[in-house]
Amino acid sequence: MNNLSPPDFVRDNTTLATAPLLPEITLHLATEVTPLWMATEETLAEKNLPPPYWAFAWPGGQAVARLLLDRPDLVAGKSVLDFAAGTGIVGIAAMKAGAARVQACEIDRFALAAIRLNAEANGVEVKPVSVDLIGRDLPGIDIVLAGDVCYEKPMAEKVTAWLRGIAATGTLVLLGDPGRAYVPTSGLEKVATYTVPTSLELEDRETRETVIWRLLAE
């Protein structure tokens, strides 16, 4: 399972499909007919593979991507960073909505391969970035987009503090959150809400009410 190059691994273990909220975007996804869907955490650990977060279109990312396609004015002509990009769905939507350029940040080499393949499948150019950007300044970035980054407390606190600093420089920061435990409780401005169909294999319910928040500097 892990003897293939990352691009070949992505191709062999996913199928081209669309996410429920985004029929306009095709992605390499794990579905009921792909090996990754059936693989357990133990199987992945035995083969020294990280969890394949990149193989699923999580609700937070779907909602942010939907917002961009519904309101292209948010990103049209702008330089965009898709943070913790996963499939790259948000960055792809940004390009389809008219962004001037998009960088998609990920530290998982399989995710980086998936982003390249997914961008190619949608006929857009998204630049994968493998650097850990947390704590760094983001000169030249007009808008930072992130979906589902508040599921783990240390990560959520670290990312939120950094992104508040980015927001303080005048950069627009949008978070898509489907009610994760560690989303900030203050310093947020609601931008939109979407009901995202989900799978019971991935979530504890069949839909998730997902809010896109503007993160404010405190």
Side-chain angles (χ1 to χ4, degrees):
M1 204 174 184
N2 65 338
N3 295 325
L4 299 170
S5 69
D8 286 338
F9 181 87
V10 171
R11 290 189 194 96
D12 285 4
N13 289 278
T14 60
T15 189
L16 280 169
T18 57
L21 212 61
L22 293 141
E24 304 96 326
I25 295 177
T26 302
L27 301 169
H28 288 80
L29 297 175
T31 72
E32 291 90 339
V33 299
T34 61
L36 274 180
W37 183 271
M38 303 302 296
T40 64
E41 287 184 32
E42 291 79 9
T43 301
L44 294 168
E46 284 169 10
K47 297 181 181 296
N48 198 30
L49 292 169
Y53 298 121
W54 52 267
F56 302 94
W58 300 96
Q62 284 196 57
V64 175
R66 183 72 263 162
L67 175 69
L68 301 184
L69 294 179
D70 291 347
R71 288 193 51 195
D73 58 289
L74 289 169
V75 292
K78 295 180 179 176
S79 179
V80 175
L81 176 68
D82 178 5
F83 175 74
T87 62
I89 191 171
V90 171
I92 291 166
M95 285 303 292
K96 282 181 170 284
R101 64 194 65 83
V102 172
Q103 298 178 64
C105 176
E106 260 294 349
I107 56 174
D108 181 341
R109 63 195 179 107
F110 294 100
L112 293 165
I115 290 164
R116 289 189 185 92
L117 291 170
N118 289 334
E120 182 182 309
N122 289 277
V124 298
E125 185 176 342
V126 172
K127 181 183 178 183
V129 176
S130 60
V131 177
D132 184 354
L133 294 175
I134 297 175
R136 300 188 180 209
D137 294 334
L138 298 177
I141 297 294
D142 301 312
I143 177 169
V144 178
L145 306 167
D148 257 317
V149 292
C150 296
Y151 55 88
E152 184 184 69
K153 188 175 182 180
M155 168 78 165
E157 291 178 346
K158 190 176 178 182
V159 168
T160 300
W162 168 59
L163 288 178
R164 284 201 194 282
I166 298 299
T169 69
T171 300
L172 176 63
V173 178
L174 298 181
L175 303 177
D177 187 77
R180 301 301 185 205
Y182 303 109
V183 69
T185 56
S186 62
L188 298 173
E189 179 183 288
K190 185 182 288 189
V191 175
T193 303
Y194 291 94
T195 300
V196 184
T198 59
S199 163
L200 287 173
E201 281 81 9
L202 297 175
E203 302 281 352
D204 59 358
R205 63 201 73 176
E206 293 183 341
T207 63
R208 273 200 172 269
E209 198 80 355
T210 302
V211 179
I212 294 98
W213 301 101
R214 178 177 183 176
L215 187 66
L216 305 175
E218 285 188 325

